[in-house]
Amino acid sequence: MNSRGSAVTAATASDVDHIVISGMAIEAPGGVDSPGAYWSALEASKELIGPFPRDRGWAVDDLLSVSDLEGWSHVSDAGGFLADAAEFDPSFFGISQREALATDPQQRVALRVAWRALENAGINPGALAGEDAGCFIGCSPMEYGPYGAELNEYNGLRIIGHGLLSVAGRVSHCLGLTGPSMTVDAACASSLTAVHLAAAAVRDGDCEWALAGAVCVMGSPIAFYEFAKHNALSTDGHCRSYSDDATGTLWGEGAGIVIVERESRAKRLGHRVYGRVLGSHHNHNGKGKPILVPRTDAQERLIRKTIDRAGIDPALVGMIEGHGTATRAGDPVELAALQNTYGTAGSEPLLGSVKSNAGHAQASAGMLGLVKLLLAGRHGMIPPTLFSDNPTTRVDWDRSSLRLATKLQPWEPTNGLRYGAVSSFGAGGSNAHAIIAMPVCEENDDF
């Protein structure tokens, strides 16, 4: 049964032309540059955290020194940083060296991840000029390079090179796509919101297919300063999602892009089907609490709406990839919403967060979670969440059937499908959720 009591199940919807994910690419900390490498790290319970980058002009000693200030969190020399954020071949993408230097690395990373996602789907990226395809890319704030008011050789290039609007536009322009193109800024909910918008655009006929995803490369350490001041930054250099030992979040970076199209089109063209987007939704917390504070009622409404749109019994959902920021404010609120929805559905879904492996990738956080979910469904295994041996005591686990994924374990399908959910919540009050059904895969490929 779904949350409104109707007997709609996935089995009765076999004739629906679903929106599916048919290609994907990812970059994550620790040198991860492919879905295969990502899965290997998740399967092995690997933590992908490293020291602050020393090649970005950051005053690292100043950042670490805030630990001595009264009322501030301790700042560890740690985060989830992309190893190759500065690497780029501008001529490959038809960009001059001078323009590349004036372009935020988030645009550059988005270009190469988009290219790989297309190749992963079996689409020739070099033959798309004029294609009716959309592009929806979430992005973190751009803080790269000098201010626009400075007089130098890069004047005239930074309105695009530093513009948030240009991330999706750069990808569409490079590939020659003519469908809707939009950079999405919903803070940490950006990537799942981008997927939601892309799926809606394809469903409504605004484009034939679309790229959807997000990117985060930190141009400055401002996020570490802000959360240290709020005492919401991890004090030990680990992101302990849903743990009683959590002291705060740990910032990270990453990028992920998926290909979204109708299932009939994917099958006609011989594309893989990694998962069906059964339902997605995004909303806002509204008034009542400070803008940074999450709300259980808003997240619960979000999840119930997504379940209704998916038209499934929530008990079918076997894996939940949560937001799991490891903050004292965020995790209990999220867990309460999950317990009030999936936790009372009569099954025992396993919950986790990839932030425990790679840190909080901000705008790209939901995309790292979505790709993890797709890979888990494809391999039929649910990877463990690190630091899950001591669950937070700020929620009542006994009244819920939710359980943390503490070890790698098999994920059994139902009627040939594995059902999973993924959440992300933004600091500005935005929330996003999606339910994905992944077909059992008999292929042995390395992506």
Side-chain angles (χ1 to χ4, degrees), residues 88-95 108 111-113 115 174-175:
F88 186 66
D89 183 355
S91 60
F92 182 84
F93 293 100
I95 300 172
R108 298 186 249 132
L111 278 171
R112 69 188 186 207
V113 176
W115 193 277
C174 174
L175 297 171

Side-chain angles (χ1 to χ4, degrees), residues 362-382:
Q362 301 166 71
S364 199
M367 186 53 56
L368 266 61
L370 175 59
V371 174
K372 172 187 171 182
L373 179 66
L374 293 169
L375 291 171
R378 192 164 184 83
H379 287 275
M381 301 292 291
I382 298 177

Side-chain angles (χ1 to χ4, degrees), residues 251-274:
W251 295 119
E253 301 175 332
I257 291 178
V258 296
I259 308 300
V260 175
E261 60 185 333
R262 289 190 175 275
E263 188 164 13
S264 59
R265 184 179 191 274
K267 291 182 175 179
R268 185 177 76 250
L269 297 175
H271 299 166
R272 296 185 187 97
V273 173
Y274 290 116

